[in-house]
Amino acid sequence: MLISTFPLVMYRALQDAAVVSEVYFGVGVASLIIALLVPYLIWFMPRRWVYVAGTAMFVAGALLATVQTPAAAIAGLSLVTFAVVTTFVCFNAYVLDYITKIELGRFETSRLFYSALGWTAGPALGVYLYDWWQPAPFLISALATVAMLVVFLVMRLGNGKLITRNHAAAANPFAYLRRFLAQPRLVAGWLFAVIRSCGWWVYVVYLPIYSVQNGLGEQLGGIVLSISNGALFITPLMLRFMQRNSVRTAVRTGFMMSGLLFLLAGVPQGIPQIAILLLMSGSFFLILLDMSAGLPFLLAVKPSERTEMSAIYASYRDVSGILTPGAAWLVLLIAPISGVFLISGAGLVIGWILAGKLHPKLGRVRIAVEGFSAESDHIEIMPAPQGSAAPEHARLV
């Protein structure tokens, strides 16, 4: 509900799309720093309490946003953003604790499918409730966060499964960045997530403002986002498409089609209604990327680096939250808001080019035993013998 409501709150409070971009830019920078500090914090505080702290920040931010002042709106947006990244880092670490690599594709599909109802009804409902009684969507979101915390506590996930851990915390909380940069597959997977997230930022934040500026009403942005998220119900079909082809094909298809549609939506002097339809069509392929573009990163994570690399992966939200409003701020100085769609489309096409470097059989397990080789999507990964050049005898390509 808040993903469609906050852009309207900020635009009402600040009355300028460029100023809104400045605020999102500043919040993104702060959120990125917090995301990278979460693994360091977990050295001193159990992971479960970091997750609890994240949910508490979400509740506080939602309640602050009910206060009808610009300062409260900015503070509420900041706390909610910080809460999302904090819980997201912990959540990814739990996923890597309990979900095996060969099940990640199926897990991502299930996660998107079961979240479809919330993502479909939430955005339109949030805007409707905001028009009816402004505090309503924020109070409901706060209650939902409390429910999420109760579920987490009942599940008793604890502090996760630690594979290896040093006795002393690293002096530099950013020391693991070097290990990340030394692994090209992790870097590529993270870049895919950043570019995809930039596309969503443009769709979620600037489409509602575009609608208001062109006289199409405040509710259209939430309605359009709800309709687009209805595609989450067909993620099982997207999974079949990915399985019949490859992760590489799915990622490249998502980037190419969404990029072209966003570019067409940004054509100067275009018809606003057609631009919105093109953006909606592009969002369908962003959902395909939601399901597939994170797999290159998740498949490459070493078990001993789950928490640290989960923080790196979670930072894509904040990096995109810096890049998108920063670029939009510059574009809006010289061009209308449709120029933001053009820049976003160009970025998605760059993602298509980068995805061409992925291995054609990414995600399939290759096994070779004494001259016999076979390929399967469902096979247990076994440790490599000592001295082997490969990290796993049966390895993910």
Side-chain angles (χ1 to χ4, degrees), residues 241-305:
F241 169 76
M242 185 173 69
Q243 289 176 333
R244 290 180 180 178
N245 295 276
S246 65
V247 172
R248 179 177 182 267
T249 299
V251 172
R252 297 204 82 197
T253 300
F255 277 124
M256 172 55 75
M257 294 304 300
S258 59
L260 290 177
L261 290 165
F262 272 55
L263 286 171
L264 290 173
V267 172
Q269 306 301 322
I271 301 173
Q273 292 85 345
I274 293 178
I276 289 175
L277 288 175
L278 289 169
L279 291 171
M280 289 178 64
S281 301
S283 71
F284 172 86
F285 293 97
L286 290 179
I287 290 174
L288 175 61
L289 290 173
D290 283 344
M291 188 192 69
S292 61
L295 293 177
F297 187 99
L298 296 175
L299 289 170
V301 174
K302 296 178 181 179
S304 60
E305 298 177 344

Side-chain angles (χ1 to χ4, degrees), residues 9 14 55 69-70 82 84 90 116 138 148 165 210 214 241 259 267 270 291 300 306 314 354 365 376:
V9 172
L14 303 174
T55 59
T69 64
F82 301 159
V84 168
C90 297
F138 300 101
M148 182 180 75
R165 186 173 181 174
Y210 179 78
N214 286 275
F241 169 76
V267 172
M291 188 192 69
R306 287 171 178 164
L354 292 175
V365 180
S376 172

Side-chain angles (χ1 to χ4, degrees), residues 314-326:
S315 71
Y316 80 81
R317 293 173 177 264
D318 308 293
V319 172
S320 64
I322 295 170
L323 292 177
T324 308

Side-chain angles (χ1 to χ4, degrees), residues 8 19 48 74 99 106 115 147 173 179 186 198 201 219 223 232 246 264 272-273 282 292 295 350 365 373 379:
L8 296 177
V19 177
R48 65 181 182 276
I74 294 172
I99 308 296
R106 194 174 304 172
S115 67
R179 298 199 299 274
L186 291 182
C198 286
W201 265 94
Q219 291 194 8
I223 294 171
L232 289 169
S246 65
L264 290 173
Q273 292 85 345
S292 61
L295 293 177
I350 291 173
V365 180
S373 65
I379 192 165

